[in-house]
Amino acid sequence: MVPILEVTPEATSTADVIVVGGGVEGLSIAWRAARRGMSVAVVDPDPGSGATHAAAGMLAPVSEVTYTEEPQLRLGLASLALWPSFRDELEDDSGVALDYRSDGTLKIAYGADDMAVLDELAAFERTLGLRVERLTGRECRKLEPMLAPSIRGGMLAGDDAWVNPRRVARALLAALDRHGGTLIADRAAELTPRGVRLASGAVVTAPRVVVAAGSWSPLLLPGLPVRPVKGQILRLRGPVGFLTRCVRGLVHGTSAYLVPRGDGEITVGATVEEMGFDGRVTAGGVYELLRDARELVPGLTELELAETTVGFRPGTPDNLPLIGPVDATGPGGESLEADVLAATGHHRNGILLTPITAAAAAAFLTGEATPEIVKFCDPGRFSN
Ligand code: GLY
């Protein structure tokens, strides 16, 4: 595990880079920076416990964004292409298997209207050169025998993949340790001219600070247009092979997804609620998720309901993340000596966008050229 650095209120600690936020974005940026020989300190009281802990881990750019959002789609496709090498490097560096699978997503239409929506989406996917195969209900059930006999039909999106986000976080912590990174198990209270003040009162200084604190990023960067979008998500425990690939269903126009893991766990998600930081699991949320999932896979009501979780997607006004330098000031409006970078606002696509976010942030930190596509993610784009 990453060494936990004790910084007492009287002490000052230094690093080349401070990363605020120990979700997959912050940890992957820290890992990439540490691999380049920088000394890195990640500040988070409980790494991997935020949106990363709730996420299902679908790497499915087309079905996660609507087809009217072209920059989002291109960004997702660019990051999906980076995932296999990101996985290989991370598994090698950490010794942790990510449960990465690339058997595609089976998109299911419950009724005729749902099928029309899937047909339209598939036509768009083909214009992007993606493999999408239209299947009858019978063909869908041949692939996934637990599907309901009444489903109308579906599409197999063969390029989609998925991964276990909790394993990605565990792997990143191990890989960060291997490259000499440290963890400060405290909350970042505010930016200071030369770094970050912790909740304990201690100060950590560095010439570069990355704010990757998901929905909580505006606490350090007031005015950053990031808001929490609540999602309730369930984990069921079933026999291994109950489902063999990601199933994403449209049930009377409502989207539901089921993501199987290698150990038999099935993640069922997710509600999308504009409720601020409301951390309650509600009866209605669980009911709706199970109701729609049962329409697709009736037998899942027999499985153990192992976990209910609430996560907060960091949403932005245009559903694109914020990745790049920001003009930050200290709490009293004073200018900062440290360069500050934002890497947040990934909304529904944090796991998918991890490799490209890490690559872009590492390039910003070292002054290298950033991937062209990341220009859409300039945090200052709303201020004009
Ligand atoms: N990416 C799935 C969700 O946000 O629910």
Side-chain angles (χ1 to χ4, degrees), residues 110-379:
Y110 185 74
D113 289 356
D114 300 318
M115 196 68 229
V117 174
L118 285 197
D119 277 331
E120 201 179 323
L121 188 60
F124 175 66
E125 288 170 327
R126 290 192 188 99
T127 66
L128 295 167
L130 300 174
R131 291 184 298 139
V132 199
E133 192 186 343
R134 196 184 201 285
L135 303 174
T136 62
R138 187 188 295 261
E139 288 167 332
C140 291
R141 280 194 303 283
K142 213 160 163 194
L143 290 176
E144 294 296 341
M146 297 311 289
L147 287 171
S150 55
I151 60 166
R152 186 78 181 194
M155 302 279 175
L156 182 61
D159 294 314
D160 281 1
W162 70 101
V163 71
N164 186 335
R166 295 179 183 181
R167 286 195 182 205
V168 177
R170 200 186 328 145
L172 284 167
L173 283 165
L176 188 58
D177 178 31
R178 184 168 168 195
H179 289 278
T182 49
L183 172 67
I184 297 173
D186 197 350
R187 193 174 57 75
E190 61 189 18
L191 298 178
T192 65
R194 295 181 56 230
V196 172
R197 188 183 316 281
L198 307 178
S200 66
V203 172
V204 190
T205 64
R208 299 173 202 85
V209 177
V210 181
V211 178
S215 294
W216 290 270
S217 300
L219 293 177
L220 289 183
L221 296 172
L224 200 71
V226 175
R227 68 184 197 286
V229 180
K230 177 181 175 182
Q232 302 187 49
I233 196 160
L234 313 178
R235 273 150 174 103
L236 309 181
R237 193 158 296 134
V240 173
F242 182 85
L243 289 177
T244 65
R245 51 177 63 70
C246 260
V247 171
R248 180 183 276 273
L250 262 187
V251 182
H252 308 304
T254 303
S255 179
Y257 55 78
L258 298 98
V259 181
R261 311 273 175 225
D263 62 0
E265 182 187 279
I266 295 176
T267 301
V268 179
T271 64
V272 181
E273 303 169 65
E274 298 285 353
M275 296 282 288
F277 285 107
D278 170 20
R280 294 171 308 140
V281 174
T282 62
V286 174
Y287 165 73
E288 282 168 29
L289 291 172
L290 288 177
R291 178 197 63 198
D292 293 344
R294 190 186 66 161
E295 297 282 27
L296 298 168
V297 181
L300 64 71
T301 51
E302 301 301 320
L303 307 186
E304 179 190 348
L305 175 57
E307 187 187 303
T308 57
T309 315
V310 170
F312 299 105
R313 307 170 182 92
T316 64
D318 61 4
N319 296 336
L320 274 166
L322 309 169
I323 307 170
V326 286
D327 280 332
T329 53
E334 66 274 31
S335 57
L336 306 182
E337 285 171 38
D339 293 331
V340 181
L341 194 78
T344 182
H346 294 76
H347 195 218
R348 299 180 63 98
N349 293 295
I351 310 300
L352 170 66
L353 296 178
T354 295
I356 200 151
T357 302
F364 278 119
L365 290 171
T366 53
E368 294 163 24
T370 50
E372 179 62 16
I373 187 82
V374 176
K375 71 173 191 282
F376 292 115
C377 307
D378 177 5

